[in-house]
Amino acid sequence: QVQLVESGGGLVQAGGSLRLSCAASGRTFSTYAAAWFRQAPGKEREFVAAINWNDGTTAYADSVKGRFTISRDNPKNTVYLQMNSLKPEDTAVYYCADQQVGSPRYDYWGQGTQVTVSS
């Protein structure tokens, strides 16, 4: 089992920045990748960014490329999402997720943290 706890959400004006953190505990030695997803009211959950836990390779949704940066601190078992130039359409609940080695899907999810961007 892996437990994920997000933090860092809040209210920010358009053009501002926030940094989300996701601290993992438990069976973290078998993590293959970590990712951030988001879900806005009335919309389906969507992929935001992902990072390979071993080599740091990253991937981003087109909507956040150039504005968001995902990173990880392996000794701290923590993944971050630096969000710059925020837009009102970035408003959502942000979730971190953990993919285990050998698994085709994200197996563990955090409880989510609210990000609200005002215009």
Side-chain angles (χ1 to χ4, degrees):
Q1 293 284 333
V2 175
Q3 293 78 42
L4 303 172
V5 179
E6 301 101 332
S7 60
L11 173 64
V12 64
Q13 288 189 332
S17 299
L18 281 174
R19 189 176 83 152
L20 305 183
S21 300
C22 176
S25 60
R27 193 179 167 85
T28 57
F29 60 86
S30 56
T31 293
Y32 172 75
W36 290 94
F37 289 76
R38 66 186 182 186
Q39 187 167 21
K43 295 187 177 181
E44 293 189 352
R45 185 168 59 193
E46 65 175 359
F47 169 79
V48 176
I51 187 165
N52 182 288
W53 203 249
N54 289 323
D55 65 16
T57 302
T58 59
Y60 295 92
D62 288 342
S63 58
V64 307
K65 279 181 183 177
R67 300 189 299 122
F68 291 11
T69 302
I70 189 171
S71 62
R72 90 275 194 226
D73 185 329
N74 291 47
K76 293 183 178 180
N77 290 321
T78 300
V79 62
Y80 304 98
L81 185 68
Q82 177 66 44
M83 305 185 294
N84 299 327
S85 302
L86 282 162
K87 305 174 181 180
E89 51 263 43
D90 294 318
T91 295
V93 177
Y94 283 71
Y95 299 90
C96 68
D98 176 284
Q99 182 183 14
Q100 296 285 286
V101 172
S103 175
R105 65 183 64 84
Y106 289 96
D107 305 281
Y108 301 103
W109 295 81
Q111 81 288 350
T113 185
Q114 176 70 48
V115 171
T116 303
V117 184
S118 63
S119 57

